[in-house]
Amino acid sequence: MRFRHPDGSTVHLAYCTNVHPAESVDGVLAQLRDHCEPVRKRLGRDRLGIGLWLARNAARSLATDPAALRGLRAELDRRGLEVVTLNGFPYEGFGADEVKYRVYKPDWADPERLRHTIELTRLLAALLPADVTDGTVSTLPLAWRTAYDEQRAEAAHAALVTLAERLDALEELTGKSVRIGLEPEPGCTVETTADAIAPLTAVGRPDRIGLCLDTCHLATSFEDPDTALDALAAARVPVVKSQLSAALHAEHPHLPDVREALAAFDEPRFLHQTRTLTPAGLRGTDDLGPALDGAALPAINPWRAHFHVPLHAAPAAPLTSTLPVLTSTLNRLVGGPHPLTHHLEVETYTWQALPPDLRPRARSQLADGIAAELALARDLLTDLGLKELP
């Protein structure tokens, strides 16, 4: 979906396909047929943006088989879909029964992460619509915090410098500009937007490598959107892309009924890093279970958990979501005289990890939910003065 900002520029809205498990090219093509096109039709649009997730095997196949890449491009066109951004964070196995810490491998100290990301940028340059010259790829925020020492930090820095050089060459060759966004996430070495400033300024290539701002992660770490964006602007760190998502919020986590409600979201597939703000600073656990099991996390103040809940359907009381953080962030990102980013992506990948009574029971119900999320995002954008384009 495309929108015209009052300054005349185009803002793209997509939804991320990492919600649909696929490890192969055939799986990606099935996603387009079974999920993406039905979402587009529910929205009554001739064209729908998708933030494509290409797992390692799918990306490798497309990179080594020009006919397969042409076939994917043709299938996107045939189904009224377009791609201006890729989600390059998960590497493989994102649809596995247990993902947890595996999603952070390989990290930016591993040469495979650089190789894979360069491959994604080349694929994106080939998949961009004919009238679009700028693409973005989001990626993990360097590494999970443990076992990340000075030597690994130096390796990650060198990889990002090399990546920027390869992106220069890609633009010279194709005329397409692709930028990378590190995506701060709780528990990683870059957990907050503030953590991103030092490594990104050290790389010194804001034209190529900036930040992907995920509003669930921002909220989980209790970051204030205005403070975060002001600091990024002062450091000249660009927001190349923003993922529109909402975290799970518990206002009174000491109450038994609140803890019982939270326990329904403690599931085995994904990590749900949980945080609370104390007078001594941010405290947290790597997952929701440990927060509920003992005294690891103070329960005096509100808790927030890294669980991407559907944007249009906040959890039932006594829980809620951090949708207000999303709306405040979006207002800053695109509500001013000029957009701070032109790529927005709804990223609720946890539909099948929701408590059983909230999960979609059929493919059609999932399409209904994703369409409802996009409709909400569309309304937020038009309320800010953007005009939806055909």
Side-chain angles (χ1 to χ4, degrees), residues 188-200:
C188 293
T189 187
V190 174
E191 172 157 341
T192 66
T193 57
D195 295 334
I197 290 174
L200 288 175

Side-chain angles (χ1 to χ4, degrees), residues 371-382:
E373 289 193 293
L374 285 166
L376 182 147
R378 176 185 60 197
D379 291 345
L380 291 175
L381 291 173
T382 55

Side-chain angles (χ1 to χ4, degrees), residues 54 58-59 62-63 69 86 118-128:
L54 296 173
L62 291 168
L69 182 56
L86 299 182
I118 290 172
E119 199 164 71
L120 291 179
T121 65
R122 292 171 176 167
L123 294 173
L124 179 57
L127 294 174
L128 286 173

